[in-house]
Each structure stands twice: as structure tokens, then as C-alpha cells.
């Protein structure tokens, strides 16, 4: 394994100058790829990337560990190989074993929330990093993974006209040719502005079996979806050789969307509290999700877990369909 300072320099160079084909070989000397994931990539089998911030910062322990294991099981049961991505002791890991998942889950919020810009620092300091959407996209793309499942992507925050708080998830999607499966955009964000920003980044956005873009905890956001897709196969056939990513928005299962009004009311209260307590930047989303869970008596956490599992199901089907096109 290369030294941390050497890895810092090489990863920085890769982030700025890399092409996917060149990186596929170079990054194998910088990252740890699990045997199962490595074999699946080499043989052209379906692989699904999974972020780790949802484990460390999105849910409390031990629900986060249980959910992580169940999501990976869903991916396997549907014919794909799960590749949870994180940085452990400065080493980017693509595919975690049970011990590594347990460590990630138990450390929780003490692990640094790592976006794409933070990767060189976390590696150089040999720290632990839970990858956000943007960092997960970076590592998944470098090793040739085509599908990435998450809960909900980041976006344009409410009051962004004053704070300029816009998630790097959006720009990462604009430059990374990966299919991202999510339950739309987190409802704590400004969804109309997020969709406008995605259009500017040339990210193709489609809703699954719906004409309306979902809002994470609820099936409907009040925003018309730019496109509609009705099966994983339709989506796979749509994927072209583009430089930008594709956002596949899957509505939360109906049985878990009934509490949408309760959750939205709690969201509004949490947003007010965040402003009053001056919670900003990458601390805002974990604060809001935790506070909404408290205010809803755990209802939002149950909904969060349900939608992530549903996304894993659909994402695995898409990954298998994509692998069969090659």
C-alpha cells in the first residue's frame, strides 16, 4: 500500500486529470477492493455501489448496522454484488466485510463526513471517512461501477439565495457517468431549485412509474418529473455514453408515505431550529434528519429505512439489466 503522502498526491492528480480507463488500473494500487467486488467487476457482473454516510450519520446505532446488512442482502438476492464504500485508516475501501461494517456503524458520527473535496485530506491523515454521494461517485466511477444506490441525494438548500449552500452531489452528478438511484431529493431541501440545477448540469432525471418527482419521505413533491421510466429494462436501454450522470428517482413505497404531512411539519420546525442554532454546512443535514426523527417519534427513521431498501431492490434490477447489455 502506498504511503499516505504519496496517496494524497496521486489521488489529487487522479481527481483533476483522470480518465476512467487510466484510473481503473492506477486506483487498484491506491484502494482496497474486496475480492467479491473485484471479481464481479472483472467478469462484467452487476455491482451496486452504496454510500457510507447513510450508515454513520443517517441512522443511529444499531439500526444503521442492521439496515446496512439488510440492504446488502437485498442487492445480493436480486443478482448483484454490493460495494459499500468508505475510507478506513486512510485507505479507500470498495466493498466492506462484516467487521468493517460493524466498525463504521459503531463509530457513527465520530467518522468524518467525506465529500469528494475531502478525500485527499482524509487519506493523507489516515483518518476514517464516511463517503457522501459525491465521494462515492468518485470511487465507484474510478473502478467501473455503473450503478449507485442511496437514500436521497443532496441539493440546493432552502434559503440558498442567502447562504449559497448547494450540495457538491449535484456537480458530481454532472461530471460522473453513473446511474444514481434515490428516493428523489431530501424534503429538507429546495426541490424546484435542485431540479433546475440538475438541468444546468445536464443530469438526466427520470421518475420510476410516476409523472411526479418524489420528495424522499413522500411520493409527491408538487414538481413534475422531467421524464418517466416504467421498468429497470427501460432505464438500462436508455443509458448512453454520456459524460454526465443519470438520476433515477424512485418514490417511497405507498405504505410508508402516509406520514408525509407529519414529517413535513416536523421538517419545517427542524429547519427553524437549525437557523436559530446556526447549524450550517455539512452539519445541517444530519441535524435535520435526527431532529425530524425525534419530532416524529421514529416515524421518519422507519420511512428512511424502507425507502433505502426499496431503492436497493430497484437499483439491483437496473444493475443486472445493464450488465446484460454488454
Amino acid at each position: 500500500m502506498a504511503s499516505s503522502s504519496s496517496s494524497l498526491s496521486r489521488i489529487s492528480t487522479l481527481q483533476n486529470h483522470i480518465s476512467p480507463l487510466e484510473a481503473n488500473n492506477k486506483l487498484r494500487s491506491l484502494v482496497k477492493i474486496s475480492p467479491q467486488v473485484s471479481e464481479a467487476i472483472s467478469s462484467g457482473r452487476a455491482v451496486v455501489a452504496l454510500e457510507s454516510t447513510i450508515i454513520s450519520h443517517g441512522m443511529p446505532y444499531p439500526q444503521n448496522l442492521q439496515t446496512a446488512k439488510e440492504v446488502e442482502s437485498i442487492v445480493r438476492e436480486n443478482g448483484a454484488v454490493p460495494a459499500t464504500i468508505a475510507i478506513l485508516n486512510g485507505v479507500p475501501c470498495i466493498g466492506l466485510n462484516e467487521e468493517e461494517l460493524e466498525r463504521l456503524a459503531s463509530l457513527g458520527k465520530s467518522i468524518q463526513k467525506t465529500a469528494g473535496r475531502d478525500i485527499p485530506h482524509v487519506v493523507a491523515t489516515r483518518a476514517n471517512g464516511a463517503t457522501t454521494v459525491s465521494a462515492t461517485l468518485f470511487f465507484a466511477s474510478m473502478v467501473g461501477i455503473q450503478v449507485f444506490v442511496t437514500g436521497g441525494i443532496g441539493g440546493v438548500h432552502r434559503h440558498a439565495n442567502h447562504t449559497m449552500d448547494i450540495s457538491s452531489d449535484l456537480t458530481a452528478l454532472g461530471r460522473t457517468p453513473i446511474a444514481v438511484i434515490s428516493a428523489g431529493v431530501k424534503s429538507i431541501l429546495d426541490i424546484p431549485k435542485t431540479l433546475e440545477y440538475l438541468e444546468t448540469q445536464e443530469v438526466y432525471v427520470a421518475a420510476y412509474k410516476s409523472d411526479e418527482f418524489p420528495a424522499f419521505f413522500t411520493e409527491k413533491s408538487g414538481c413534475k418529473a422531467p421524464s418517466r421510466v416504467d421498468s429497470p429494462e427501460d432505464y438500462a436501454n436508455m443509458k448512453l455514453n454520456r459524460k454526465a450522470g443519470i438520476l433515477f428517482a424512485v418514490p417511497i413505497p405507498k405504505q410508508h408515505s402516509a406520514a408525509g404531512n407529519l414529517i413535513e411539519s416536523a421538517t419545517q420546525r427542524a429547519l427553524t431550529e437549525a437557523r436559530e442554532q446556526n447549524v450550517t454546512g455539512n452539519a445541517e443535514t444530519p441535524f435535520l434528519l435526527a431532529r425530524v426523527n425525534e419530532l416524529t417519534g421514529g416515524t421518519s427513521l422507519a420511512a428512511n429505512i424502507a425507502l433505502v431498501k426499496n431503492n436497493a431492490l430497484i437499483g439491483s434490477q437496473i444493475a443486472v439489466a445493464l450488465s446484460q447489455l454488454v
Side-chain angles (χ1 to χ4, degrees):
M1 183 64 64
S3 68
S4 291
S5 60
S6 174
S7 296
L8 168 63
S9 175
R10 294 171 69 187
I11 286 180
S12 295
T13 300
L14 288 171
Q15 283 184 307
N16 293 323
H17 305 290
I18 200 69
S19 72
L21 289 176
E22 293 171 332
N24 192 37
N25 291 325
K26 290 181 179 179
L27 271 186
R28 288 180 185 272
S29 66
L30 298 175
V31 305
K32 174 186 172 186
I33 308 177
S34 75
Q36 295 83 1
V37 173
S38 181
E39 189 279 330
I41 293 173
S42 298
S43 62
R45 291 176 56 203
V47 180
V48 173
L50 302 167
E51 63 158 298
S52 47
T53 295
I54 194 172
I55 301 172
S56 61
H57 291 69
M59 301 176 190
Y61 184 84
Q63 289 99 326
N64 56 354
L65 178 60
Q66 180 181 351
T67 300
K69 290 181 176 180
E70 291 174 351
V71 166
E72 288 200 347
S73 294
I74 290 170
V75 172
R76 293 189 186 95
E77 290 165 4
N78 285 275
V81 175
T84 300
I85 296 176
I87 302 174
L88 299 176
N89 294 331
V91 179
C93 300
I94 301 177
L96 304 183
N97 58 36
E98 285 197 21
E99 181 181 341
E100 290 166 336
L101 273 179
E102 167 72 41
R103 180 182 173 195
L104 184 70
S106 60
L107 287 174
K109 294 180 181 179
S110 66
I111 294 180
Q112 180 172 340
K113 185 178 178 183
T114 305
R117 68 170 187 178
D118 306 312
I119 293 170
H121 172 73
V122 175
V123 170
T125 57
R126 299 182 181 181
N128 297 313
T131 55
T132 65
V133 169
S134 63
T136 306
L137 281 170
F138 173 75
F139 286 119
S141 176
M142 289 307 129
V143 298
I145 299 175
Q146 299 184 68
V147 176
F148 166 33
V149 165
T150 184
I153 65 166
V156 179
H157 281 250
R158 303 186 191 191
H159 311 292
N161 53 318
H162 298 296
T163 65
M164 289 299 294
D165 193 348
I166 300 173
S167 173
S168 61
D169 293 355
L170 304 185
T171 49
L173 269 165
R175 63 172 179 260
T176 312
I178 287 182
V180 177
I181 289 78
S182 80
V185 177
K186 296 182 178 73
S187 55
I188 59 178
L189 304 172
D190 188 320
I191 295 176
K193 285 188 176 66
T194 298
L195 289 173
E196 290 289 345
Y197 198 94
L198 286 168
E199 180 183 3
T200 300
Q201 294 294 314
E202 296 190 356
V203 175
Y204 184 86
V205 178
Y208 184 67
K209 294 185 177 180
S210 176
D211 294 317
E212 189 165 336
F213 190 78
F216 198 64
F217 288 125
T218 60
E219 295 176 278
K220 299 181 183 297
S221 65
C223 298
K224 180 177 172 57
S227 298
R228 172 179 174 139
V229 172
D230 289 301
S231 75
E233 291 74 22
D234 288 346
Y235 184 67
N237 288 322
M238 186 189 305
K239 191 163 190 314
L240 304 174
N241 185 23
R242 302 178 72 248
K243 293 183 179 180
I246 300 175
L247 177 61
F248 193 33
V250 182
I252 186 174
K254 287 184 181 296
Q255 64 268 34
H256 293 280
S257 67
N261 290 334
L262 170 65
I263 295 172
E264 178 58 25
S265 175
T267 298
Q268 293 297 333
R269 180 174 169 182
L271 283 164
T272 299
E273 293 177 1
R275 288 195 298 273
E276 291 173 348
Q277 298 176 36
N278 197 31
V279 179
T280 60
N282 64 7
E284 183 174 18
T285 297
F287 171 85
L288 292 173
L289 291 176
R291 188 67 181 119
V292 169
N293 184 53
E294 291 173 3
L295 293 170
T296 61
T299 298
S300 66
L301 177 59
N304 195 356
I305 293 172
L307 67 84
V308 170
K309 290 180 179 179
N310 189 53
N311 292 348
L313 169 65
I314 304 301
S316 302
Q317 294 171 347
I318 290 172
V320 170
L322 276 172
S323 69
Q324 293 171 349
L325 292 179
V326 180

